[in-house]
Amino acid sequence: MSNIHTITLNSIEDKSIELSQYEGKVVFIVNVASQCGLTPQYSGLQSLYEKYSSQDLVILGVPCNQFAGQEPGTANEIKTFCEPSFNVTFSLTEKVDVNGDNRHALYSLLAGDDAAYPGDITWNFEKFLIAKDGTVIERFAPQTEPTADEVISAIEKAIAA
């Protein structure tokens, strides 16, 4: 698998999401959690989405409970937390494992041994920027704010490409 367009996962509403639908769009993938010190980054992600979605930026929030149990909720609990708390309108997926034996295929592609940026996900809110052709072009640390200059610059460059 050389690009994300071969991956399918489920939305938080348990509907199939074929990532091939994002061909020709820039995708920003972030593993998220509701009870993390970095949870306020949802605001920055929503801000990016509002600014760039009309320019074909897709944001995928991928809930994960592998870091200190900071995403223990059900899909409905996650959704009802994100929407009113941070006005989240970008896509959220089902809760998945990003590391370990049950790592979702998406994260095997993003961070597996053959990935452009290999290595386990270190914490909640690790970010991957995907080019229009589905290849990974950037990886940002959890502490990097979604609205940081280097993120904005990378997104704008990918949109213009």
Side-chain angles (χ1 to χ4, degrees), residues 27-97:
V27 183
F28 199 51
I29 299 171
V30 185
N31 64 303
V32 295
S34 301
Q35 298 177 10
C36 177
L38 300 175
T39 299
Q41 287 190 23
Y42 269 120
S43 293
L45 291 169
Q46 182 61 29
S47 173
L48 283 178
Y49 183 70
E50 289 171 7
K51 183 172 182 179
Y52 295 104
S53 63
S54 65
Q55 298 173 56
D56 287 335
L57 175 69
V58 173
I59 296 180
L60 280 181
V62 183
C64 176
N65 193 40
Q66 288 188 288
F67 303 101
Q70 294 181 343
E71 189 58 275
T74 64
N76 191 52
E77 288 169 337
I78 294 166
K79 188 175 177 178
T80 57
F81 168 79
C82 291
E83 289 175 355
S85 301
F86 296 100
N87 299 313
V88 167
T89 58
F90 58 84
S91 296
L92 294 170
T93 72
E94 65 186 333
K95 194 176 351 180
V96 303
D97 282 356

Side-chain angles (χ1 to χ4, degrees), residues 92-109:
L92 294 170
T93 72
E94 65 186 333
K95 194 176 351 180
V96 303
D97 282 356
V98 298
N99 292 329
D101 291 343
N102 295 318
R103 173 186 267 172
H104 191 280
L106 174 62
Y107 277 87
S108 292
L109 187 142

Side-chain angles (χ1 to χ4, degrees), residues 1 6 10 13 15 109 115 124 129-130 137 140 144 156:
M1 292 186 289
T6 61
N10 288 327
E13 295 89 6
K15 294 186 169 93
L109 187 142
N124 301 309
L129 184 62
I130 314 300
I137 52 177
F140 298 99
T144 303
E156 289 179 349

